[in-house]
Amino acid sequence: MKTSGFRRILEIRQSDFLGPLVMSIKRITATELARNLSAVLDQVREAGEEYVVERGRQPVARVSPSPGIMTAEQALADMHENLEAEVSESWEADARRGDAALSDELRDPWSS
């Protein structure tokens, strides 16, 4: 990908529980993105890079890695651990009752 004089690197310094974190966001013009879309998408996918797309030196869009896909089972796996104790126990009991009520038997949804 050809480097443009307009591209600037913006450093965002952020403090979180792990201490200071420095993340680099690349700025790219809309024209540059259009000319190098495939290469930019490769960088996003492979290196996890993030781009801010500018038009007339104003940010108009962000290109960033997808957060990934999670199944419902994965999303709910530790839900009860993040709830208050009373709510967690109630949620877990409801989930177990629902699971016990389900049948593994296949049935025809069109039959009455």
Side-chain angles (χ1 to χ4, degrees), residues 27-93:
R27 301 186 96 134
I28 188 170
T29 65
T31 301
E32 195 175 4
L33 177 64
R35 290 182 180 154
N36 301 293
L37 181 61
S38 182
V40 169
L41 293 178
D42 286 344
Q43 283 296 107
V44 169
R45 181 184 60 206
E46 294 167 10
E49 295 200 10
E50 188 169 352
Y51 290 83
V52 172
V53 182
E54 295 179 340
R55 180 179 279 163
R57 296 186 186 223
Q58 295 297 314
V60 294
R62 181 174 294 222
V63 180
S64 61
S66 174
I69 297 173
M70 187 182 292
T71 66
E73 183 178 5
Q74 291 168 330
L76 297 174
D78 65 348
M79 183 176 161
H80 68 281
E81 294 174 7
N82 297 319
L83 300 172
E84 294 176 13
E86 185 179 309
V87 175
S88 176
E89 290 170 12
S90 174
W91 178 85
E92 190 173 7

